[in-house]
Amino acid sequence: MTLQQKLLTVWVFFRINLRRVFRDRLALFFTFLFPLIFLFVFGSLSHNSSISLNIAVINESKSPIAEQFAASLNKSKVVKVNKDVKTFSDANQRMSRGEVDATVELPANFGVVKDGLPAGNVLVHYTQNSEQAAQTLVSVLQATVQGVNAKIVTNKTPFTVSSRQTNEHSLSAFDYTFTGLLGFSILGAGIFGPINVFPELKKMGILRRLHTTPLRVWQYFLSTMMGQAVTGLLSIGVMFTVAHAVFGLKPVGNLAQFAVFVALGIVLVLGIGLAIGGWAKNERQAAPLGNIIVFPMMFLTGVFFPRFLMPHWLQGITTYMPLTPVIDGARMILTEGKTLLDLGPQLGVMAIWFVIIYAIAFRVFRWE
Amino acid sequence: MTKIGDTILRVENLQKSYGDMKAVDGISFEVKKGEIFGILGPNGAGKTTTLEMIETLRSIDGGSASIDGVDVATQPYEIRGMIGVQPQAPGFQDKTKLTEIIQMFAAAYGEKVNPKKFLDEVNLGDKANSYIEQLSGGQKQRFSIVTALVHNPKVFFLDEPTTGLDPQARRNLWELIEEVRGRGISVILTTHYMDEAEVLCDRIAIMDRGKIIKLDTPKNLIKDLLDRGFTKEQKVEQANLEDVFIDLTGKGLRV
C-alpha cells in the first residue's frame, strides 16, 4: 500500500466516524450540552463575585433621610441588599445560615430633626462568624455617613482619599473559570470518551475484525485524533460563543492561534484516553485507571480553581502536569493576548508529554 | 497466476501452546484454490486457534503457514490484504450506514469501492442507508461476508458461520459460500453442523486435542467408516424434520 492509500484510509475513517458522532444523541449531549451546563453553573457563580457583602436592611424610621439612606444602599456596588428580609427574626435566621453577612438597622429616630439638625445612628448587627464582613460594612457606612455629614455641616477636610482606575487589563474570576472549564471539557472528551468507547468496541469484536485487515494502529489513532480535534473545537466554539454572549468574555488574543493551541491540547489529552482505552480489556480495567488519572488533574491543573491559590510547592509540581500548560496557554492567548511564540515553555512541556503519552499508547494498544 | 486446483494455503507442523497446554499440536494441511475446506472438531479441539494463527491474529509458536507463497509469521500485513475473515459473532459499530461500513472496510484495504454493488450481491441493496442495528441475524451474516470480500481476497475464513441462524438463512448462506468459491476464492470454515460440512465441504479435517486425526473428502470419510463394518439402525423415513420444516415454511429467505 502506498502512503497515499494509507492516508486515504485515515480520511475515510475520520469522515465516517465524525458523521456518526452527530447521529449519537448521547455523544452530542456530552460533547456540547454537558460543558455548557458547567459553564452556566460556574459562570454565574464567578460572575457575581464582585458583590462581596450580602446584607439586610431594616428601616424602622419614617424620615425622608432614612428612606434616602436605604435607597443609596440598594444602589451600592459594594453591598448587595437582600430585599426579602423585612423583620429582625428573619434577618437573624438568615445570618445564622450565612446567607446574609450582616443586618443594617435604621432605628425609629433615624433622621429625626433634633437641635435644628437631622441626626441618627446606623446600627450594624452581625454574628460571631461575620465579624470581618461587619467591619467592612461599618467602614463603608462610615464613609457614606461622612458624606452626608459634610453636606449638612460644612467644614474643611485637609486630607482626602480618592481612587483612579488604571488602564491595565486584569484577569477577572471568569477568565479563570472559562479556561478551567475549557480544560474540563478537553479532559472529559479526551479521556472519558475513549475509555468508554474502546472497551465497548473490543467487547463487540469490532476492533478484532479491523485487526484482520491491513489497518495499522497509527492510522486508527490518527483518524481518531482528527475527529476528536474537530468535535472538541466545535464544542469549545459553542462554549466560547455562550461565554462571550452571556458572561461577557472579551477575548484579546488571536482566535486562530487560540484554536490551533486548543487543538494541540485536545490531541495531547486524547493520547491519555487512547492509552487507557487501548490497553484495557474491559470497562472494569478502564474506569478506575481513568479516574485515578483524571481527578488529580481536575483539581491540580486549574480546572476548578486557579493554581495561584495553591501553596508554592504544589504550584511547582503541578506546572509539569500535562493539562496545566494547556489551560495556562489557552488563558494567556485568550485573555492576555499572547501569541504561540510567547508560549515556548507551555508548548515545550506539552511536546514532552506528547512523546511520552503516545509512546505508551502505541505500546500498550490491544485489538481485543 | 494460480489456477483452480493449485495449492493456495500451505500449513506445516503448526504449533501453539498456552502454558503446558498444546492448543495446536503440529498440524499440517494444504488448501487448493477454489476449494471449500472444513475444519471440524469438538469445542477446545484447536479449530479457532488454528484459524487465528493463519489469520495473523495469534503468534505462531512453531511450524509455518503460507498463503500463495507469502509467509504468515513474517509478512502479516501482506497476508491481511490477501484474506477475508468472518468472525464467529460479527460486530460493527452502530449508527453507521451499511454503505459507510463497506467504505470503511474497503479503505482499510486501501481501496475505494461502490458499496451499492456489493450490497446488491447479497440482496441488501434496499438496506443501503440502514444502520447495522436494524438488520436481522441472517442479514448481519450476509453483510459481514460482504465486508470480508470487498478487497477480493484469495482465502476466505468463516468461523462457525451458521450458528444461531434459522434453516432458511442457513441454506441461503450455503448458497452464498458456494458462490464465493465460484469466484475462485478458497473457503476455510469451521462448523459444528455435520450436515453443513457434508453439503458444503470438498474436504474435511477432523481435529481433536490439537491434532488433525483425519483428513479426506466427506464421501471417503463415510465410506471408510462403513468399510470398517460400521452399521447403524436403519431409518425407514426418506425425510427428516428439517425437510418437513422447509416443506412447510418454504425455502424463501426471511428478513
Side-chain angles (χ1 to χ4, degrees):
Chain A
M1 242 189 270
T2 61
L3 182 65
Q4 206 178 349
Q5 276 177 308
K6 284 177 180 166
L7 291 177
L8 168 85
T9 311
V10 174
W11 174 251
V12 172
F13 272 65
F14 159 72
R15 196 167 44 88
I16 292 175
N17 281 330
L18 189 61
R19 250 187 253 157
R20 185 171 165 268
V21 171
F22 289 94
R23 294 175 187 152
D24 188 345
R25 278 195 208 133
L26 202 66
L28 286 178
F29 172 79
F30 278 106
T31 313
F32 295 103
L33 232 52
F34 197 57
L36 278 190
I37 295 173
F38 274 80
L39 181 66
F40 272 104
V41 171
F42 286 93
S44 7
L45 284 179
S46 68
H47 208 55
N48 292 337
S49 63
S50 60
I51 293 149
S52 47
L53 285 176
N54 289 306
I55 64 162
V57 176
I58 291 175
N59 181 7
E60 294 183 315
S61 165
K62 299 268 184 314
S63 73
I65 288 186
E67 295 288 338
Q68 263 178 34
F69 193 87
S72 77
L73 281 179
N74 281 339
K75 277 185 229 148
S76 165
K77 281 180 185 164
V78 187
V79 296
K80 185 175 194 235
V81 179
N82 188 328
K83 293 187 181 101
D84 297 340
V85 186
K86 300 271 188 279
T87 65
F88 273 110
S89 66
D90 188 16
N92 283 338
Q93 260 183 26
R94 287 184 197 246
M95 283 202 294
S96 66
R97 283 203 300 265
E99 196 182 320
V100 165
D101 295 313
T103 307
V104 174
E105 181 192 352
L106 302 178
N109 63 359
F110 188 88
V112 173
V113 178
K114 205 165 75 181
D115 303 333
L117 285 173
N121 178 46
V122 184
L123 189 58
V124 173
H125 300 260
Y126 62 95
T127 65
Q128 284 173 343
N129 287 325
S130 61
E131 195 172 332
Q132 229 183 339
Q135 292 298 334
T136 315
L137 184 58
V138 167
S139 17
V140 169
L141 292 175
Q142 252 161 11
T144 316
V145 168
Q146 261 164 23
V148 176
N149 289 349
K151 275 182 197 160
I152 300 170
V153 186
T154 38
N155 56 358
K156 287 207 162 183
T157 50
F159 294 105
T160 57
V161 180
S162 63
S163 64
R164 178 184 296 157
Q165 193 175 13
T166 69
N167 289 322
E168 203 66 30
H169 175 83
S170 75
L171 296 182
S172 70
F174 185 75
D175 291 337
Y176 282 97
T177 305
F178 181 74
T179 46
L181 284 174
L182 192 135
F184 176 75
S185 167
I186 292 175
L187 262 190
I191 298 185
F192 285 123
I195 69 173
N196 286 322
V197 171
F198 273 70
E200 185 67 18
L201 292 176
K202 287 180 187 182
K203 198 168 83 188
M204 292 177 67
I206 293 170
L207 288 187
R208 190 190 145 87
R209 178 73 184 78
L210 285 175
H211 191 203
T212 67
T213 72
L215 184 73
R216 311 253 176 170
V217 180
W218 70 260
Q219 291 174 306
Y220 194 68
F221 275 12
L222 186 58
S223 73
T224 313
M225 285 152 81
M226 286 159 59
Q228 189 80 19
V230 170
T231 47
L233 279 181
L234 282 176
S235 155
I236 286 163
V238 172
M239 272 174 75
F240 183 86
T241 312
V242 172
H244 181 67
V246 180
F247 299 105
L249 179 77
K250 284 189 187 65
V252 293
N254 181 311
L255 289 185
Q257 294 205 11
F258 175 71
V260 169
F261 184 80
V262 167
L264 292 177
I266 290 170
V267 169
L268 173 68
V269 172
L270 175 70
I272 302 173
L274 289 177
I276 301 171
W279 163 80
K281 285 180 177 161
N282 50 47
E283 296 94 332
R284 257 180 290 168
Q285 285 185 332
L289 190 62
N291 289 336
I292 286 174
I293 292 177
V294 167
F295 282 103
M297 279 218 272
M298 234 178 233
F299 293 109
L300 296 176
T301 60
V303 169
F304 286 125
F305 34 78
R307 276 172 58 248
F308 64 73
L309 295 177
M310 294 173 188
H312 209 69
W313 61 271
L314 198 57
Q315 284 188 39
I317 297 170
T318 55
T319 306
Y320 300 102
M321 293 179 81
L323 191 63
T324 307
V326 178
I327 293 177
D328 282 352
R331 190 185 58 243
M332 285 160 81
I333 296 179
L334 200 61
T335 61
E336 296 174 29
K338 296 267 166 65
T339 66
L340 286 175
L341 293 176
D342 302 321
L343 299 180
Q346 278 75 21
L347 288 169
V349 174
M350 284 163 70
I352 293 167
W353 273 114
F354 185 88
V355 172
I356 297 173
I357 289 170
Y358 276 92
I360 295 173
F362 274 103
R363 177 149 283 197
V364 300
F365 185 79
R366 293 189 279 210
W367 291 97
E368 51 193 294
Chain B
M1 188 66 197
T2 44
K3 298 190 300 291
I4 299 287
D6 288 355
T7 298
I8 189 87
L9 168 68
R10 184 169 277 130
V11 174
E12 272 165 37
N13 193 28
L14 199 64
Q15 292 165 32
K16 179 83 190 175
S17 308
Y18 295 110
D20 289 340
M21 213 265 293
K22 284 188 170 158
V24 175
D25 191 4
I27 63 170
S28 305
F29 61 91
E30 289 180 354
V31 176
K32 298 185 181 65
K33 184 173 165 70
E35 184 177 34
I36 301 181
F37 187 85
I39 303 179
L40 272 56
N43 280 334
K47 307 184 296 288
T48 302
T49 309
T50 302
L51 286 197
E52 285 176 347
M53 276 193 282
I54 306 172
E55 292 162 3
T56 74
L57 295 180
R58 301 232 177 278
S59 61
I60 293 173
D61 287 358
S64 71
S66 64
I67 294 173
D68 207 11
V70 179
D71 183 58
V72 171
T74 55
Q75 290 169 283
Y77 285 97
E78 281 73 10
I79 291 292
R80 284 175 204 165
M82 296 163 71
I83 62 171
V85 176
Q86 159 92 326
Q88 258 179 40
F92 299 97
Q93 58 183 30
D94 61 354
K95 300 197 176 60
T96 315
K97 292 176 186 170
L98 299 194
T99 50
E100 291 172 338
I101 295 177
I102 291 182
Q103 282 169 354
M104 285 172 85
F105 273 99
Y109 292 104
E111 288 179 26
K112 269 183 175 171
V113 297
N114 171 14
K116 194 76 170 52
K117 189 193 92 185
F118 283 95
L119 289 172
D120 285 335
E121 277 175 20
V122 290
N123 299 325
L124 288 172
D126 55 332
K127 295 272 179 191
N129 286 322
S130 303
Y131 297 152
I132 189 75
E133 54 267 39
Q134 294 162 326
L135 298 190
S136 71
Q139 287 172 332
K140 254 184 216 162
Q141 287 287 357
R142 280 184 278 151
F143 178 67
S144 177
I145 288 178
V146 169
T147 61
L149 298 176
V150 280
H151 57 305
N152 198 24
K154 292 190 159 99
V155 184
F156 181 33
F157 295 90
L158 298 102
D159 200 359
E160 298 185 20
T162 60
T163 301
L165 297 187
D166 69 21
Q168 281 88 355
R170 217 151 77 92
R171 274 149 203 273
N172 180 266
L173 207 66
W174 292 352
E175 283 169 25
L176 201 62
I177 291 171
E178 288 281 6
E179 216 178 285
V180 171
R181 176 254 286 284
R183 289 187 230 165
I185 298 172
S186 306
V187 177
I188 298 173
L189 58 87
T190 68
T191 181
H192 284 302
Y193 301 112
M194 297 306 138
D195 57 336
E196 185 166 294
E198 206 176 327
V199 172
L200 271 181
C201 298
D202 299 317
R203 286 189 305 143
I204 290 170
I206 297 177
M207 278 187 84
D208 197 15
R209 296 191 180 85
K211 288 184 190 299
I212 292 181
I213 50 179
K214 198 95 182 172
L215 197 165
D216 213 331
T217 63
K219 215 177 201 171
N220 286 346
L221 289 171
I222 294 169
K223 186 167 167 285
D224 195 36
L225 181 66
L226 292 175
D227 287 351
R228 280 190 280 126
F230 177 87
T231 52
K232 92 175 157 179
E233 204 183 321
Q234 286 298 310
K235 276 194 180 165
V236 206
E237 304 96 329
Q238 288 300 305
N240 62 18
L241 193 56
E242 181 157 339
D243 296 324
V244 175
F245 183 82
I246 292 291
D247 180 55
L248 290 173
T249 58
K251 276 190 178 167
L253 188 62
R254 307 304 163 87
V255 283

